[in-house]
Amino acid sequence: SFTVKADKSYSFDSVIIATGGKSYPKTGSDGSGYRLAMKLGHKITELKPSLVPVVTKENLYDLSGLTLKNVRLTVTHNGDTVYTEQGEMLLTHFGVSGPLVLSASAHMRGDIRQYRMFIDLKPALDDATLDARLIADLTKYSQRDFVNSLSDLLPQKLIDPVIRQSRIDPRKKSNAVTREERAALRDALKKFPLTPVSFRPIDEAIITSGGVEVSGLHTKTMMSKTVPGLFFAGEVIDVDAYTGGYNLQIAFSTGVAAGQSAAQYVLAKDDTSV
């Protein structure tokens, strides 16, 4: 049996630790389950935020609140692609957030400063098709300054950052933009770069990565291998997944397994005591 000592003592035949991770501390998910598990002899893998917004080196304050829809986000590590997906993301005063970024954060392990992020603002257009579109827009607004020729292509807030990335003189007449400059503009649209410097704090993360080592549990029953009658369920365990209901499924599945197994453990113990 287990005894909990505080103002009162309680004894139990079995205990389920389902205290959550360290995300959303206002709900009571403050990491206390990890301390309990450690006191009972369980190893805890490093706790990190996952499915979390990313702080970038680039100052995006002027773009704060801008939602980018149907864009492709690619994350690289030492030149190798570790994540690429099309969808929606949000530009904020500190960096980037939204579904694409939250999912990407799950792939960014170790030193986040070793990663690079690139936004394809026009993923539906290949280079040739995009170049044709640029020619059409520059021709349409041939007598305007270059900075005033991209309103059909981009949200107003994005025009200046894209032009800065392309290094084209914004006051140059549109009909004077060269083929080489058009290629630079195309690159800025297809691979707009961002430099991650850190994750937002873990209390802003959707889930916690890390926790009670799975190797210390009987995974069919979720019972501890070292403390009979002790079970674990949910985010306190070192198991996490993408956004989209997968982490809820982990919580539900481990909760059912732990609950049923704990009940069976108590019944079996009662049977042997008769």
Side-chain angles (χ1 to χ4, degrees):
S1 65
F2 297 85
T3 301
V4 179
K5 293 181 179 180
D7 295 335
K8 296 181 181 180
S9 294
Y10 304 89
S11 293
F12 305 96
D13 292 321
S14 66
V15 169
I16 300 173
I17 295 180
T19 52
K22 289 192 70 175
S23 307
Y24 298 110
K26 291 182 180 179
T27 67
S29 180
D30 59 1
S32 58
Y34 303 122
R35 295 190 290 274
L36 285 172
M38 288 178 67
K39 287 181 179 180
L40 293 167
H42 283 269
K43 293 182 179 179
I44 308 297
T45 56
E46 184 180 2
L47 305 178
K48 295 182 179 181
S50 189
L51 306 186
V52 64
V54 173
V55 179
T56 63
K57 179 180 178 181
E58 294 77 14
N59 184 349
L60 303 180
Y61 190 85
D62 290 343
L63 303 178
S64 180
L66 180 62
T67 297
L68 303 180
K69 297 182 178 181
N70 297 318
V71 298
R72 176 169 289 275
L73 177 64
T74 298
V75 178
T76 64
H77 182 261
N78 295 328
D80 296 327
T81 298
V82 298
Y83 172 85
T84 183
E85 191 63 60
Q86 187 168 329
E88 183 175 315
M89 60 185 292
L90 175 68
L91 305 183
T92 74
H93 66 283
F94 59 77
V96 287
S97 185
L100 286 178
V101 175
L102 299 182
S103 293
S105 71
H107 294 267
M108 301 167 76
R109 307 293 186 179
D111 186 355
I112 190 176
R113 294 170 297 179
Q114 298 298 316
Y115 292 85
R116 294 293 179 268
M117 307 176 85
F118 299 92
I119 307 173
D120 183 347
L121 296 166
K122 298 295 175 182
L125 305 179
D126 60 23
D127 284 353
T129 305
L130 179 56
D131 193 46
R133 170 64 189 273
L134 294 177
I135 292 172
D137 284 2
L138 293 172
T139 301
K140 179 179 179 181
Y141 300 113
S142 60
Q143 299 305 313
R144 292 187 182 182
D145 289 348
F146 175 59
V147 69
N148 296 320
S149 66
L150 301 180
S151 57
D152 292 350
L153 188 69
L154 292 170
Q156 191 63 40
K157 283 186 175 182
L158 267 183
I159 292 176
D160 284 344
V162 167
I163 289 179
R164 284 196 298 270
Q165 181 62 29
S166 73
R167 298 186 177 181
I168 301 173
D169 180 355
R171 294 304 169 187
K172 187 173 191 175
K173 291 301 180 183
S174 297
N175 59 10
V177 172
T178 66
R179 178 182 298 178
E180 291 74 18
E181 288 173 329
R182 202 169 66 242
L185 175 60
R186 188 173 65 244
D187 288 344
L189 291 166
K190 296 295 285 184
K191 291 189 68 174
F192 188 86
L194 293 172
T195 309
V197 294
S198 66
F199 291 124
R200 292 292 287 177
I202 196 167
D203 58 1
E204 293 183 25
I206 291 180
I207 59 167
T208 304
S209 176
V212 176
E213 283 193 355
V214 177
S215 61
L217 307 178
H218 296 285
T219 53
K220 287 187 177 180
T221 63
M222 306 313 298
M223 187 170 75
S224 166
K225 290 182 179 179
T226 55
V227 184
L230 176 64
F231 300 81
F232 292 88
E235 197 172 334
V236 71
I237 307 166
D238 181 17
V239 181
D240 60 89
Y242 272 170
T243 184
Y246 300 108
N247 292 288
L248 287 173
Q249 184 61 58
I250 291 171
F252 297 153
S253 297
T254 57
V256 168
Q260 292 178 342
S261 300
Q264 292 169 1
Y265 178 86
V266 173
L267 291 173
K269 187 175 181 179
D270 289 342
D271 288 342
T272 59
S273 64
V274 175

